[in-house]
Amino acid sequence: MNLKGAPKGGRVHWLIYRLSADFKQKYYVNYDYSKHSYLFLRKYGGFSLKKLRSSDMFIVVRTSKMCWRVTSHIMPFGRSEYASFRDSQAVADYLEKKSMEYAEERLRWEETHLSE
């Protein structure tokens, strides 16, 4: 039997369950149960101002039953992006994709600037 929805008496945050273990290990996760809002901040072996400057983050807000809004920011480049989705799986796919893109972009930047 395939039941839909959260179990009785409990809350299930579908977005957290749809993210890979690898993604969840790379990011500090903070969420607000009542508003279904999430903050994902990339970890680099701890938190310091120097490490934060080379980090990226995602803020996810569920604004309605059919709308998830995602703001991403990659700090070394000072660039923010915004996207909107209809379901938690699409949000999870976007976060995974953007995380890889940001990591690759940061590596290319480090290679060019450290080799000079």
Side-chain angles (χ1 to χ4, degrees):
M1 183 188 313
N2 188 5
L3 300 175
K4 291 186 177 183
K8 286 188 176 192
R11 287 191 183 150
V12 175
H13 283 254
W14 299 114
L15 178 57
I16 297 292
Y17 291 113
R18 296 184 190 284
L19 293 166
S20 70
D22 184 51
F23 180 91
K24 289 186 275 189
Q25 287 174 353
K26 290 178 185 172
Y27 287 84
Y28 164 75
V29 180
N30 189 336
Y31 50 95
D32 178 349
Y33 277 112
S34 64
K35 295 188 175 106
H36 293 273
S37 299
Y38 304 81
L39 169 69
F40 299 94
L41 178 63
R42 190 181 295 260
K43 300 186 266 190
Y44 285 112
F47 291 104
S48 70
L49 189 54
K50 183 178 180 181
K51 292 176 183 179
L52 186 61
R53 285 185 196 140
S54 62
S55 188
D56 57 81
M57 72 170 64
F58 301 97
I59 298 172
V60 180
V61 178
R62 187 172 185 186
T63 58
S64 71
K65 193 172 185 176
M66 297 296 287
C67 187
W68 297 77
R69 298 184 190 257
V70 181
T71 302
S72 59
H73 186 78
I74 182 165
M75 291 184 220
F77 306 105
R79 188 175 68 242
S80 293
E81 298 178 38
Y82 169 83
S84 185
F85 302 94
R86 295 189 66 103
D87 62 64
S88 59
Q89 185 60 57
V91 174
D93 294 343
Y94 177 81
L95 294 176
E96 300 269 356
K97 178 183 159 215
K98 280 298 187 187
S99 176
M100 285 190 288
E101 285 177 16
Y102 288 165
E104 290 170 3
E105 190 173 351
R106 188 179 305 99
L107 283 173
R108 282 193 305 272
W109 183 85
E110 288 175 357
E111 287 173 359
T112 59
H113 285 79
L114 297 178
S115 64
E116 292 178 349

